[in-house]
Amino acid sequence: MNLLVFAAVLAAMLAVRFFLKNLHILVWLALWWVALFVVFKYGIEPPLPASIVNMFMAIVTLALLAYLSATTSYLRQATEAVVRFMVDRRFTVPLVVVLLTVPALVAWQVYAERTARPTPPVSGRTIHPPPPNTISFKGKTIDLVNGENPYRALETSDPEAFAAHVENGRRIYYENCVFCHGDNMEGDGLFAHGYDPLPANFNDPTTIAMLQETYLFWRIAKGGPGLPSESTPWASAMPAWENFLTEEEIWDVILFLYDYTGFRPRAREEIH
Amino acid sequence: MKHRKALSKPFLAVSFLLLCVFVFVWDGAQAAGSSMPLLQDAGGYRPFPIEGISSRVAMWVVAELHLMFAAFVLAVPLFALIIEFIGYKTGDRRYDELAYEFTKLLSVSFSFTATLGALLTFGLIVLYPKLTEYLMSIFSWTFFPYVLLFFLEAIFLYSYYYGWGKMNPKVHLLLGVLLNLTGTAIMFIADAWLTFMNTPAGIDEAGNLVSLWGAINNYTWMPINIHRLIANVAFGGSIAAAYGAYKFLGARTEAEKAHYDWMGYVGNFIAISALLPLPFAGYWLGREIYAFSQTLGITLMGGTFSWLFIIQAVLIGNLFLAANYYLWLGMERIPGSERYRKFIKYLLASITACFIVWATPHSLVATVEEARQMGGAHHPVLGVLGVMSAKNTAVNILILTTFISFLLYRRSNKEATVSWAKAGKTAQFAIFAVVVGIVVFLGVYGYFVEATVRIGLSVPQVLSVLFAMVSVTIIDIFLFRDAKITGPIQWGKMPNRAQYALFFIAITFAWTMGLMGYVRAGMRQHWHVYGVLEDTSPDAFTPTLGFASNVISVTVLIFFTFIAIVFWITGLSGRKAWVARPDVPPEDETAQALPGDGDAQPAKQPAWEGAAS
């Protein structure tokens, strides 16, 4: 959050509120629109993607239009002002300016878009691709729906053995995964900046904290090549770790991921 | 023969359209026939005979249309009965007339529903014989009560409709109850078939039936029953409100305007009342789906279809906004409401903030540069708003805000006279404040606990909101029992844009239903019956969201065309009997024979021009 921007916008709106009384409703709404745009565009750090700013502003625009037209007197004020601006001779010059400025801005927008540097296409990313019900791991079938981490139970039954598995997971992580997912699992390892999309940030509460352990097993074992066919093309550079790690090593690294981040894996629900 | 000329234009236009459709179908059939025999059974599938339209899309559109009409014919009797009961208890004839007017929409809609249901069945038998055969092997014994209930529904519906005002009111109300019970039972049976396809149960590993009750009572059966029951009321209410709006815009007298303004209000009130608990029912359904299979749950909410939920959030956000907008505009026709108008901006701010939170996606569309600035695929702020804790909090506040709008509307022309008025209002405010505090606290707390606990937190959130709504309503009833009335509601003094808001609400409901129906069926991906019967047809892939949205939009358009026909046919019953112009001498015997109603008096102008309806 950029608190300076927030404070500046708030101060400006309060100043207008107290020093410029009796403002026309259209001016008020325009001020609100601009203030919120500034907050969304510059008040939040890191900056919001343009797609999100556009969506938020569409909602704001809709809300302001609803406010304007929910009161007949406001709507009348607005329509009268627009009609006056269009027909009153006093406003001929500003009207001409508007009529020239709007197409000019559109033209500028078109020019800017056509002359922009080539960039990769903007695309949404499916954060959690749907897993299959079962996978085959070195000839063994792993049940992703009803299965569970075979070493998770040790957490209560044999804490020492559990710690050994976590320690083994730590070793595996720092030998294999750290280069992409980073020292602190924030998805900013040495190689991370060469990838698009960037490696997952496991500290984000919306990644592994929302998933069952079998899901992680599937993603680690099968990697990018094992992603489902829907929503293709996938651009994940994640290797299929089943070619390099044993089943136990993958379960161990999963234990370590949860242990390090402090999250708990999602448990199976029985609510029927 | 002016009337003949006037009739000949639409007749010619319709004939031309029919001819075009015939040529189109014939041409398509020929084209399809040239490459593939029409009725060749290819691995349990048959192609649709029109090139460019796949079997899946054809069945998709028919099923969706059938569902929309079914929702309508199930919902209208429900609230017609409630309104009739209110009329019976209060003795206010207006309610009785309103209930009858709603019921008038039913007979034509019932035929449409049955016809579309038959088309759906035939389509499944012809185009998807393998699937149909399998479902019959599981559910064949449920078909008999289904058909029997249909008979009963027809009997109850028509006797309810034609018996209006001709029976003892208690007997008539009983008919209404029976009509609703049979309709609901029909829906429950049909729901068993479709939920079985998503979350099959009661079968062995080879897919053979082990327990019919197990197959019926599968994971998602009851959640969908409840969800649909509520959604149908909301949808039916919105369509009925749209009917009121349609009649309002065409009204020629102040009395008509007042009546249809009131009708639109009642329909909308029912729709929004049902909309409020709908997200909770949907949430329960989502939980059951996730509990059945994380694959289905993730496909639904985190994977392929997650963006459809953003579209859904935008649509539902718009629904809430439009519902509040209608109430705010409605306050203008109530003397004394001026004192509450200053609150609109705060209510709007709350709605906008909740709308923004609800529509914030978990998976962001971002350029590489933007992703690098964010430090990954997740934005630290948006990531917080993109998960269920935030969504649940937003929707609960949204519901409370809408409830407050309604509360203000309700008390617009009332001034409490009871001695404890100030204490009562303070108590209401305190309840709201505490409940908002609880909802927000639980929403934030959800980020610090594991997933299963977080999901469970939605229950106290919902319960506290329901507590607020119930307790505040009870206080309100006593608070305004002997209230001073500042003036009667001026029905009919409503701007036209409020009626367009009602149209918007009805269309948005239909659209949302279509989108969510697609998600429910689409999450099975390449399965007819998930994990049991694979879809091996050429259409066994998930269509793109853009394509799906187009199909759904076209379906909604067709539905509203049909609904317009229903409105038109229903409106005919209120028109005056046709008579020939007295000043134009008939040219032949046929024209003389046309005025069939001997009691009708010659009109000074053509009946169709003077029709007040």
Side-chain angles (χ1 to χ4, degrees):
Chain A
M1 293 291 209
N2 191 333
L3 293 178
L4 275 179
V5 172
F6 272 85
V9 168
L10 189 64
M13 291 303 282
L14 285 174
V16 171
R17 173 78 180 79
F18 289 108
F19 296 114
L20 295 174
K21 290 181 178 171
N22 301 323
L23 273 182
H24 194 278
I25 182 69
L26 284 178
V27 179
W28 257 120
L29 295 183
L31 285 173
W32 268 106
W33 196 93
V34 172
L36 289 168
F37 178 75
V38 171
V39 165
F40 292 142
K41 184 79 178 169
Y42 304 105
I44 298 172
E45 285 185 340
L48 300 180
S51 63
I52 298 298
V53 174
N54 291 341
M55 191 172 83
F56 285 2
M57 289 314 296
I59 293 172
V60 165
T61 307
L62 205 61
L64 293 177
L65 285 174
Y67 183 70
L68 178 69
S69 57
T71 308
T72 301
S73 61
Y74 282 164
L75 186 64
R76 199 172 294 134
Q77 276 179 44
T79 49
E80 279 172 1
V82 172
V83 170
R84 243 192 348 264
F85 184 73
M86 301 288 279
V87 300
D88 199 325
R89 283 189 178 279
R90 281 184 303 158
F91 299 114
T92 304
V93 174
L95 180 65
V96 171
V97 171
V98 168
L99 290 177
L100 291 175
T101 308
V102 172
L105 285 173
V106 173
W108 172 254
Q109 174 72 13
V110 173
Y111 174 78
E113 276 185 13
R114 304 309 300 173
T115 55
R117 274 189 313 131
T119 50
V122 177
S123 60
R125 181 188 172 200
T126 302
I127 299 295
H128 297 142
N133 290 336
T134 57
I135 57 167
S136 172
F137 184 89
K138 295 179 180 174
K140 179 183 172 186
T141 299
I142 307 281
D143 184 350
L144 299 185
V145 176
N146 299 307
E148 54 187 28
N149 190 332
Y151 308 107
R152 176 60 66 185
L154 295 174
E155 193 173 11
T156 47
S157 65
D158 188 350
E160 277 188 24
F162 182 76
H165 278 286
V166 172
E167 199 52 37
N168 191 38
R170 180 192 303 276
R171 178 187 61 77
I172 295 157
Y173 180 85
Y174 285 106
E175 282 179 4
N176 301 283
C177 318
V178 69
F179 309 105
C180 298
H181 291 284
D183 288 337
N184 299 317
M185 300 191 184
E186 290 176 340
D188 57 352
L190 286 173
F191 298 165
H193 304 289
Y195 297 130
D196 173 26
L198 297 171
N201 171 3
F202 299 135
N203 279 302
D204 190 307
T206 66
T207 55
I208 61 172
M210 301 180 77
L211 299 167
Q212 295 172 13
E213 286 183 285
T214 51
Y215 184 97
L216 270 70
F217 188 91
W218 166 61
R219 292 294 293 115
I220 294 169
K222 300 296 177 184
L227 282 164
S229 54
E230 62 267 9
S231 300
T232 49
W234 298 95
S236 171
M238 176 92 167
W241 287 101
E242 64 179 345
N243 299 324
F244 311 101
L245 300 175
T246 64
E247 184 189 343
E248 182 178 346
E249 285 174 323
I250 294 179
W251 288 123
D252 283 355
V253 84
I254 292 169
L255 292 180
F256 172 64
L257 292 182
Y258 284 106
D259 184 73
Y260 184 89
T261 56
F263 295 132
R264 301 293 300 173
R266 185 173 192 149
R268 269 188 54 75
E269 292 175 52
E270 291 293 345
I271 55 170
H272 181 59
Chain B
M1 298 299 290
K2 282 183 183 174
H3 62 276
R4 284 196 162 184
K5 283 180 183 170
L7 282 172
S8 65
K9 283 180 186 171
F11 178 74
L12 277 175
V14 170
S15 304
F16 178 71
L17 277 175
L18 285 174
L19 186 67
C20 290
V21 170
F22 177 74
V23 170
F24 179 66
V25 172
W26 176 257
D27 184 54
Q30 294 300 307
S34 65
S35 59
M36 215 179 302
L38 267 182
L39 285 177
Q40 187 185 41
D41 185 340
Y45 304 98
R46 295 193 182 98
F48 195 68
I50 299 177
E51 198 168 11
I53 300 178
S54 67
S55 296
R56 178 176 63 185
V57 169
M59 296 312 299
W60 183 351
V61 172
V62 172
E64 190 62 53
L65 287 171
H66 171 61
L67 186 81
M68 285 173 177
F69 267 103
F72 185 61
V73 296
L74 280 174
V76 170
L78 196 60
F79 56 75
L81 179 69
I82 295 168
I83 295 167
E84 188 194 358
F85 181 72
I86 295 170
Y88 171 71
K89 289 300 282 184
T90 59
D92 189 339
R93 291 281 301 163
R94 284 188 316 160
Y95 286 101
D96 197 65
E97 285 164 13
L98 183 68
Y100 181 60
E101 196 150 6
F102 280 142
T103 310
K104 280 204 297 189
L105 296 171
L106 276 177
S107 59
V108 183
S109 307
F110 188 70
S111 306
F112 271 58
T113 313
T115 310
L116 286 163
L119 190 58
L120 177 63
T121 311
F122 295 150
L124 280 171
I125 292 169
V126 173
L127 302 173
Y128 289 90
K130 185 173 75 174
L131 168 65
T132 312
E133 193 182 338
Y134 179 67
L135 289 179
M136 281 181 176
S137 76
I138 303 291
F139 288 108
S140 53
W141 288 106
T142 63
F143 298 159
F144 297 104
Y146 187 77
V147 173
L148 178 69
L149 285 166
F150 242 112
F151 270 120
L152 288 175
E153 192 185 24
I155 293 166
F156 292 140
L157 171 67
Y158 288 110
S159 50
Y160 185 66
Y161 174 50
Y162 289 109
W164 207 288
K166 297 178 178 64
M167 294 177 179
N168 181 313
K170 286 180 184 169
V171 174
H172 194 258
L173 281 167
L174 179 67
L175 270 178
V177 172
L178 293 171
L179 170 62
N180 279 293
L181 287 177
T182 48
T184 306
I186 286 173
M187 187 189 77
F188 274 37
I189 293 176
D191 281 351
W193 308 336
L194 73 95
T195 52
F196 174 82
M197 293 167 73
N198 273 5
T199 53
I203 49 174
D204 61 19
E205 286 189 357
N208 299 312
L209 182 66
V210 175
S211 158
L212 179 59
W213 173 242
I216 292 170
N217 186 29
N218 61 71
Y219 257 75
T220 49
W221 181 57
M222 197 44 79
I224 280 199
N225 285 336
I226 302 300
H227 191 269
R228 278 206 163 154
L229 207 57
I230 302 171
N232 287 352
V233 174
F235 179 64
S238 74
I239 298 290
Y243 178 73
Y246 162 79
K247 301 290 271 186
F248 178 95
L249 293 173
R252 299 192 176 189
T253 64
E254 290 302 314
E256 267 186 69
K257 276 199 160 191
H259 175 70
Y260 289 115
D261 182 14
W262 183 61
M263 185 178 186
Y265 168 76
V266 173
N268 189 54
F269 173 73
I270 291 165
I272 301 308
S273 302
L275 174 67
L276 297 186
L278 199 53
F280 307 141
Y283 194 72
W284 177 32
L285 174 60
R287 280 189 74 178
E288 285 282 347
I289 290 170
Y290 208 107
F292 175 77
S293 160
Q294 73 160 345
T295 304
L296 283 182
I298 290 173
T299 305
L300 190 71
M301 297 298 290
T304 323
F305 295 114
S306 56
W307 265 92
L308 263 177
F309 277 86
I310 299 303
I311 300 174
Q312 183 225 29
V314 169
L315 289 175
I316 293 181
N318 273 310
L319 270 180
F320 275 106
L321 186 59
N324 281 275
Y325 178 76
Y326 181 81
L327 285 173
W328 300 333
L329 272 174
M331 283 165 74
E332 287 198 340
R333 65 187 168 204
I334 308 177
S337 66
E338 301 78 18
R339 64 194 193 280
Y340 292 128
R341 297 206 69 82
K342 59 178 178 283
F343 295 118
I344 288 178
K345 51 175 157 305
Y346 304 113
L347 296 168
L348 184 68
S350 168
I351 290 168
T352 310
C354 292
F355 193 168
I356 281 175
V357 171
W358 209 8
T360 300
H362 184 203
S363 312
L364 302 178
V365 172
T367 63
V368 182
E369 201 174 324
E370 287 168 340
R372 291 199 195 297
Q373 284 177 327
M374 288 190 289
H378 288 84
H379 191 284
V381 178
L382 295 182
V384 173
L385 301 183
V387 291
M388 283 314 288
S389 273
K391 310 289 186 200
N392 280 345
T393 308
V395 76
N396 278 298
I397 303 287
L398 205 49
I399 288 168
L400 277 178
T401 310
T402 307
F403 180 67
I404 293 173
S405 275
F406 175 70
L407 219 57
L408 295 183
Y409 176 91
R410 192 179 169 277
R411 59 171 65 172
S412 282
N413 62 342
K414 296 187 183 85
E415 281 175 18
T417 54
V418 289
S419 57
W420 49 276
K422 197 173 177 184
K425 287 177 187 170
T426 309
Q428 286 180 317
F429 182 81
I431 290 171
F432 275 125
V434 170
V435 167
V436 168
I438 290 171
V439 169
V440 173
F441 169 77
L442 292 176
V444 175
Y445 181 62
Y447 291 98
F448 300 96
V449 291
E450 60 185 284
T452 43
V453 179
R454 180 168 60 243
I455 291 164
L457 291 178
S458 63
V459 177
Q461 276 188 325
V462 169
L463 289 178
S464 53
V465 169
L466 290 177
F467 166 76
M469 287 163 62
V470 172
S471 59
V472 167
T473 303
I474 291 170
I475 295 173
D476 222 52
I477 288 168
F478 289 104
L479 193 62
F480 291 98
R481 180 164 266 184
D482 298 311
K484 179 186 161 196
I485 304 295
T486 53
I489 299 175
Q490 295 170 344
W491 294 108
K493 305 280 183 212
M494 190 71 156
N496 283 354
R497 58 184 181 280
Q499 311 307 316
Y500 294 117
L502 294 183
F503 287 141
F504 176 82
I505 289 172
I507 291 168
T508 310
F509 264 121
W511 221 349
T512 311
M513 275 174 67
L515 284 169
M516 291 297 100
Y518 160 66
V519 172
R520 184 193 48 72
M523 70 180 173
R524 294 194 301 267
Q525 299 178 64
H526 58 283
W527 296 95
H528 287 310
V529 179
Y530 186 67
V532 178
L533 184 67
E534 198 164 2
D535 182 355
T536 54
S537 71
D539 303 320
F541 60 93
T542 306
T544 61
L545 301 187
F547 177 79
S549 304
N550 286 339
V551 172
I552 292 156
S553 302
V554 169
T555 310
V556 170
L557 206 61
I558 297 171
F559 172 71
F560 277 97
T561 307
F562 282 1
I563 278 289
I565 294 170
V566 170
F567 285 2
W568 175 69
I569 294 174
T570 307
L572 287 178
S573 66
R575 290 196 177 189
K576 293 175 184 169
W578 183 87
V579 289
R581 279 167 181 266
D583 55 335
V584 181
E587 289 178 6
D588 53 37
E589 289 179 5
T590 320
Q592 279 181 322
L594 273 173
D597 189 343
D599 298 333
Q601 296 301 311
K604 287 181 181 175
Q605 57 178 344
W608 61 86
E609 286 177 15
S613 61

